[in-house]
Amino acid sequence: MVCARAALGPGALWAVAWGVLLLTAPAGAQRGRKKVVHVLEGESGSVVVQTAPGQVVSHRGGTIVLPCRYHYEAAAHGHDGVRLKWTKVVDPLAFTDVFVALGPQHRAFGSYRGRAELQGDGPGDASLVLRNVTLQDYGRYECEVTNELEDDAGMVKLDLEGVVFPYHPRGGRYKLTFAEAQRACAEQDGILASAEQLHAAWRDGLDWCNAGWLRDGSVQYPVNRPREPCGGLGGTGSAGDGGDANGGVRNYGYRHNAEERYDAFCFTSNLPGRVFFLKPLRPVPFSGAARACAARGAAVAKVGQLFAAWKLQLLDRCTAGWLADGSARYPIVNPRMRCGGRRPGVRSLGFPDATRRLFGVYCYRAPGAPDPAPGGWGWGWAGGGGWAGGARDPAAWTPLRV
């Protein structure tokens, strides 16, 4: 959008032509930035915002700088009275406020309070420092600079290191609406993955023949080993996004999210704490898993926490254990045939009968939480007695220091 008065000098005509050029340039030439120039009579003096091309990458718990600088096309303008505003793009036409600064007055909004501040690296620096990055911080941010009637804006994409994992609850496959998929991911220490994250996971080898919700409301699934039940064996029209005869990301498009039901593709990032496998003296039913972890100052690990420990902490254990949702899984970094085949990943045994199938348990200990039994632990009854031939009720077991 270019606005100009009727009487323009030669310099202003040049500015108008330049503004039109900016608006008609190919999208790739602007590197995804939105450009709005307001041209006044005479020399424009327009404010110009510059942001980093591509994306910046962090992880949960990290600190990141969202780069943004501005300058004027005419040197006569100062930096006093400039309003700096950061917003997050939540939908193509919807934004949520993150941070606003006008002179010495600064304000952060919502979950960004106490975490967001300006970098302040000299005049023209509008970069935002974001601390203690969360999963919800992932996405695109707009840096807008306004001075009287002049403004410009640029986009910065914040990506997170992490892992995408498919998920369905105990009730079975294709049981989740879009809202239920969002809650399911949150309960397992994740968020719904984006289409970009799923595509990156596909390139990294993810192969999953069940469609799942993504954060934009679309339903997709990644196929690395084409087969008939998973969208065909390849070829024209069957490979999906970015694929060929070797597979691709199959895409059902945007669905009626209040009515249709699918699985979910969740995303999680770096863990501040630690996941570990706990093998008691005797296998425990699911009802005893929480007590087992509590004895070591921990809680039963969530599915997302186990995936993060496998991908980012290289947890490798060829023994199935309970997780918080009642499923039994185990992480394999170094594939071997006796541990589920030749591909790394988190193996799933589904949702066993909690009263019949007994496993160890994967626990998660938050940072700074003490281990009450660093020398080891076991199960028994206060006052001794041991298993006594199985005559005592396992529900009455208590963790004992050994």
Side-chain angles (χ1 to χ4, degrees):
M1 171 180 172
V2 178
C3 305
R5 295 185 182 178
L8 298 176
L13 288 173
W14 180 89
V16 170
W18 176 241
V20 172
L21 178 62
L22 286 171
L23 293 173
T24 57
Q30 298 186 46
R31 298 183 182 272
R33 287 186 285 159
K34 184 179 76 175
K35 184 66 104 175
V36 179
V37 179
H38 300 268
V39 181
L40 304 179
E41 186 174 353
E43 290 189 352
S44 71
S46 297
V47 61
V48 177
V49 170
Q50 296 174 313
T51 53
Q55 60 191 22
V56 294
V57 182
S58 186
H59 57 81
R60 177 166 51 184
T63 297
I64 191 68
V65 176
L66 305 183
C68 178
R69 297 194 67 86
Y70 67 95
H71 66 273
Y72 291 98
E73 292 179 343
H77 289 260
H79 297 274
D80 296 333
V82 172
R83 189 189 74 158
L84 310 177
K85 183 177 182 180
W86 281 89
T87 54
K88 185 181 180 185
V89 183
V90 294
D91 280 314
L93 297 176
F95 299 77
T96 184
D97 290 340
V98 173
F99 188 91
V100 172
L102 180 59
Q105 299 180 3
H106 296 182
R107 181 182 178 187
F109 298 89
S111 63
Y112 297 94
R113 289 175 181 163
R115 300 194 298 124
E117 62 182 4
L118 289 180
Q119 179 174 251
D121 187 18
D125 184 21
S127 302
L128 189 71
V129 179
L130 191 57
R131 306 183 190 282
N132 192 22
V133 172
T134 69
L135 294 177
Q136 292 72 24
D137 291 339
Y138 169 86
R140 292 186 301 136
Y141 292 79
E142 181 181 78
C143 171
E144 182 183 39
V145 179
T146 304
N147 184 7
E148 297 177 350
L149 297 178
E150 303 169 356
D151 63 66
D152 191 21
M155 286 288 181
V156 180
K157 182 180 179 184
L158 172 59
D159 199 4
L160 299 179
E161 298 172 346
V163 57
V164 172
F165 61 97
Y167 186 76
H168 70 86
R170 179 182 287 274
R173 299 195 184 280
Y174 294 175
K175 300 291 186 181
L176 301 173
T177 65
F178 178 74
E180 290 168 343
Q182 288 179 309
R183 288 194 295 270
C185 288
E187 290 169 357
Q188 299 308 318
D189 192 48
I191 58 174
L192 275 178
S194 68
E196 293 85 355
Q197 289 169 334
L198 183 64
H199 195 267
W202 166 72
R203 292 199 308 268
D204 200 35
L206 180 61
D207 182 277
W208 195 255
C209 193
N210 293 93
W213 291 107
L214 297 178
R215 66 184 299 161
D216 63 358
S218 66
V219 174
Q220 307 183 34
Y221 65 100
V223 175
N224 263 287
R225 292 173 288 117
R227 55 258 195 213
E228 284 296 345
C230 303
L233 296 175
T236 303
S238 66
D241 233 1
D244 51 26
N246 295 319
V249 179
R250 318 296 197 212
N251 192 339
Y252 288 4
Y254 300 100
R255 313 306 297 178
H256 301 288
N257 57 34
E259 303 171 4
E260 301 185 32
R261 296 178 181 272
Y262 299 94
D263 291 350
F265 285 102
C266 307
F267 173 84
T268 193
S269 185
N270 184 59
L271 286 174
R274 172 175 170 259
V275 172
F276 60 95
F277 181 77
L278 194 57
K279 184 177 181 180
L281 298 178
R282 295 292 186 272
V284 295
F286 179 65
S287 60
R291 295 198 303 274
C293 291
R296 297 299 300 267
V300 181
K302 300 176 180 180
V303 176
Q305 291 169 338
L306 183 65
F307 269 90
W310 162 72
K311 182 72 173 181
L312 304 173
Q313 298 178 354
L314 303 183
L315 179 63
D316 184 286
R317 180 84 189 198
C318 192
T319 310
W322 292 112
L323 293 179
D325 67 339
S327 65
R329 308 175 192 243
Y330 60 102
I332 297 297
V333 174
N334 302 306
R336 50 265 198 206
M337 292 307 297
R338 66 183 182 88
C339 299
R342 300 178 179 178
R343 297 170 64 88
V346 175
R347 315 283 194 243
S348 174
L349 277 65
F351 294 85
D353 187 328
T355 63
R356 297 181 183 177
R357 300 290 299 275
L358 307 179
F359 301 87
V361 54
Y362 286 94
C363 305
Y364 172 73
R365 184 183 296 122
D371 184 353
W377 72 282
W379 284 97
W381 293 268
W387 270 67
R392 301 196 185 192
D393 180 9
W397 295 352
T398 57
L400 300 177
R401 176 79 175 271
V402 295

